Amino acid sequence: MPTSPISIPADKLPRHVAIIMDGNGRWALSRGLPRLAGHKAGTENLRRVIRSTVEFGVKYLTIYAFSTENWGRPMEEVRGLMSILEDVIDRELDELNKEGVQLRHIGRLERLAPKLQEKVLDAIELTKNNDRLVLNVAFNYGGRDEIVHAIQKMIKDGIAAEDVTDDLVSRYLYTAGVPDPDLIIRTSGELRVSNFLIWQAAYSEWYVTPTYWPDFDKEEYRRALEAFARRDRRFGKVSSSELEASNA
Ligand code: IPE
Ligand code: IPE
Ligand code: MG
């Protein structure tokens, strides 16, 4: 069995990892810094995590960067988060492109400033043929919004009620064509979904750590992948080892 650089058998490695990058604000607060300093540190960490993802051989990474509810934060923080996205594209796009990362966006672009929308679309266009890692950036993303959007589109397309299937719904979501996340990581210890990939997470494995996002390093990432490799995913059925034992 071929192994990845982290000695997890390839068939035990998640194909798709999704991350709720939480705890930037508390990270900053614990250092007596403004919340935006936490977001900047979080962005630096994201860079490292993307590189580790490529190195580990995971093929899809989805990151939750701004939720549909995050508009409710103080205006200054919202503005800061927007300008961080812009900076990241300006500073990192060439490097990500060279590394073979394909950028995608999930969520609604419409509410962002036109210049920022254009930057996101250009980045998607530039990297569309890369295939080392698909990086889905969830920005102005909400799981409920995604489902509402899918239903609206199905109705507009004149889909008949009896043609609505699991598979069809998946194809109408922002994540169309992307496999469901195998592993969802949430930093900073909160035990909730916060409107992230609520359809796609039906059978995802969860890994929650108290570590704040800016401190979530490669070692801990590796531990999360190792924990995943030990999970027995049953998908509502009986585990294969148990079946074998009962048939013996
Ligand atoms: C996550 O960190 C980043 C975003 C939601 C944009 P938070 O800003 O939620 O940090 P905490 O949860 O307040 O510590
Ligand atoms: C989820 O974190 C959203 C992102 C990480 C972008 P929040 O900090 O917004 O979630 P709640 O408020 O703790 O549920
Ligand atoms: Mg938070």
Side-chain angles (χ1 to χ4, degrees), residues 8 26 49 56 86 122 148 160 198 230 243:
I8 291 176
R26 278 163 285 168
V49 167
F56 291 154
E86 204 168 326
D122 288 348
V148 168
I198 51 180
R230 290 190 297 271
L243 258 188

Side-chain angles (χ1 to χ4, degrees), residues 89-107:
I89 298 177
D90 288 343
R91 283 190 293 126
E92 305 292 333
L93 184 60
D94 280 347
E95 191 61 37
L96 290 171
N97 189 31
K98 274 192 213 125
E99 285 180 16
V101 176
Q102 182 189 135
L103 271 165
R104 294 196 195 172
H105 168 258
I106 59 171

Side-chain angles (χ1 to χ4, degrees), residues 16-35:
H16 181 178
V17 173
I19 306 182
I20 302 180
M21 310 184 292
D22 198 13
N24 292 347
R26 278 163 285 168
W27 181 92
L29 194 73
S30 70
R31 286 167 172 71
L33 297 169
R35 290 179 60 84

Side-chain angles (χ1 to χ4, degrees), residues 20-22 64-67 70 73 186 190 192 194:
I20 302 180
M21 310 184 292
D22 198 13
Y64 204 8
F66 191 89
S67 76
N70 289 150
R73 295 190 177 198
R186 181 163 189 155
E190 306 300 349
R192 53 179 173 260
S194 300

Side-chain angles (χ1 to χ4, degrees), residues 128-188:
K128 69 177 182 204
N129 295 320
N130 294 342
D131 61 5
R132 206 149 167 223
L133 171 71
V134 172
L135 175 65
N136 277 313
V137 181
F139 199 95
N140 194 18
Y141 172 88
R144 287 189 172 184
D145 169 69
E146 179 178 41
I147 292 169
V148 168
H149 177 263
I151 294 170
Q152 288 172 339
K153 196 149 189 308
M154 279 188 259
I155 293 171
K156 281 188 194 145
D157 287 353
I159 304 285
E162 56 276 20
D163 291 336
V164 179
T165 59
D166 251 45
D167 198 45
L168 184 90
V169 174
S170 295
R171 279 188 273 128
Y172 269 86
L173 299 176
Y174 298 133
T175 50
V178 173
D180 287 342
D182 301 293
L183 172 65
I184 302 181
I185 297 171
R186 181 163 189 155
T187 57
S188 93

